[in-house]
Amino acid sequence: MHAITIPEPGGPEALVWTEVPDPVAGEGEVLVEVVAGAVNRADILQRQGFYNPPPGASPYPGLECSGRIAALGPGVSGWTVGDEVCALLAGGGYAEKVAVPAGQLLPVPEGLAVDQAAALPEVVCTVWSNVFMVAHLRPGETLLVHGGSSGIGTMAIQLAKAVGARVAVTAGIEEKLERCAELGADILINYREQDFVAELERATDGAGADVILDNMGAKYLDRNVRALAVNGRLAIIGMQGGVKGELNIGALLGKRGAISATSLRARPLEEKAAIVAAVREHVWPLVAGGHVRPVIDREIPMPDAATAHRVVEDSGHVGKVLLVTPD
């Protein structure tokens, strides 16, 4: 088979489409013939040499994919060869085939083409696990999503609206805010021109956000705490704004607030399987019913993954950028 390899860390040109050995489905795994993968910020970090796969994972980038089951490993039940699936991965999505633990498989939702389903696993599992399983967003509460036009952001907007929450988003240009509004966002904040703390306070009559989904990390830490409502929950899922920030514990105590910080890639298989099962139970009916849909900016041939990385790094996209395997 062919896969995107990284002979030496570097810029997008470091991604090389080359022939590599086929993976084999081990105990409890299935072999998926990949139709499409999706680009995530973690893939860019891996390409740059900053985010290696966990031990035992595929060395190739790619944290999600969709395709068809080509083979079942020992001990796998409930799936058959030919099933159309999408999968949460620790690596290997930028390839023609990938071995996946069966607990990280999901059926392609009704109404979606198999390639479109590649836009779902990583973002849905990230949003559901952080916003709902950890931060416990409830109907009537306010969710603030930083980077509302990203793959994570566009999914968070839809899921929060589906459960009856109010959604505030930040984005850097008006066109992106307009797309967020089309998905259901109620409060639109241009972070280049507006102070999100002040704007959120104004829009919520001083209450603030019950839950904040943050991809920035250190840069936003102090302002996020100030933006929290009493009993608010801050869920940190990224470090685009740095890794070290100063926390005003007094302010956090005053809000009776909570901060969680999670990653998905290196979690134990049992934890990933539990998240995937929760997603299948709670989110897949919303997707099948048309209430939640993946937002796909464009599809790019997988051998040209360098172009896809440039698109994501330039932040000119809305939603997900997919990589499609050659016919």
Side-chain angles (χ1 to χ4, degrees):
M1 74 166 189
H2 287 79
I4 290 291
T5 62
I6 308 172
E8 294 289 340
E13 68 283 352
L15 301 172
V16 179
W17 181 251
T18 189
E19 191 166 356
V20 298
D22 283 14
V24 176
E27 180 75 29
E29 294 182 333
V30 304
L31 184 66
V32 174
E33 188 174 279
V34 175
V35 170
V39 179
N40 290 279
R41 292 278 174 182
D43 305 334
I44 293 171
L45 291 174
Q46 180 175 340
R47 188 203 74 215
Q48 294 169 336
F50 300 129
Y51 193 23
N52 292 327
S58 169
Y60 316 124
L63 301 182
E64 56 194 337
C65 74
S66 62
R68 298 176 181 89
I69 294 178
L72 304 177
V76 174
S77 60
W79 301 97
T80 60
V81 172
D83 284 349
E84 292 188 342
V85 296
C86 54
L88 178 69
L89 307 172
Y94 290 21
E96 293 178 317
K97 297 177 183 178
V98 62
V100 185
Q104 293 168 217
L105 282 181
L106 289 156
V108 170
E110 182 180 345
L112 279 192
V114 65
D115 59 324
Q116 295 175 313
L120 289 174
E122 175 74 14
V123 295
V124 175
C125 288
T126 297
V127 172
W128 191 260
S129 62
N130 283 279
V131 175
F132 297 94
M133 296 175 74
V134 174
H136 302 292
L137 180 70
R138 294 182 286 267
E141 291 190 323
T142 297
L143 168 69
L144 170 61
V145 182
H146 290 302
S149 63
S150 66
I152 293 287
T154 53
M155 182 55 59
I157 294 167
Q158 295 180 79
L159 287 176
K161 295 301 293 184
V163 302
R166 189 182 189 195
V167 181
V169 298
T170 63
I173 59 175
E174 292 304 314
E175 290 81 2
K176 289 187 175 183
L177 290 172
E178 290 171 6
R179 293 292 300 277
C180 292
E182 291 169 3
L183 293 171
D186 305 284
I187 303 166
L188 309 176
I189 304 169
N190 187 324
Y191 69 80
R192 298 184 191 277
E193 301 175 359
Q194 298 170 296
D195 175 4
F196 72 79
V197 179
E199 291 299 317
L200 190 64
E201 182 176 341
R202 182 186 60 78
T204 61
D205 295 324
D210 300 287
V211 176
I212 299 176
L213 185 62
D214 174 58
N215 61 348
M216 293 300 292
K219 183 177 180 180
Y220 278 9
L221 180 59
D222 179 68
R223 282 183 285 169
N224 278 333
V225 171
R226 288 192 279 125
L228 281 176
V230 173
N231 297 315
R233 292 85 72 195
L234 167 61
I236 300 173
I237 60 169
M239 302 176 291
Q240 293 182 39
V243 299
K244 293 184 180 180
E246 186 171 299
L247 174 63
N248 185 331
I249 296 175
L252 188 64
L253 284 169
K255 297 290 182 73
R256 299 194 295 277
I259 299 176
S260 63
T262 73
S263 63
L264 192 55
R265 186 180 199 180
R267 288 194 187 202
L269 295 182
E270 310 80 55
E271 291 187 19
K272 290 184 182 180
I275 293 169
V276 168
V279 162
R280 185 170 183 175
E281 177 183 357
H282 297 287
V283 181
W284 252 223
L286 297 174
V287 179
H291 305 291
V292 172
R293 308 294 281 183
V295 176
I296 298 170
D297 188 273
R298 69 193 75 183
E299 295 187 354
I300 293 172
M302 192 173 288
D304 194 17
T307 294
H309 274 223
R310 291 186 183 99
V311 169
V312 173
E313 286 184 281
D314 289 343
S315 296
H317 64 296
V318 173
K320 300 288 287 188
V321 175
L322 301 187
L323 295 170
V324 181
T325 56
D327 294 332

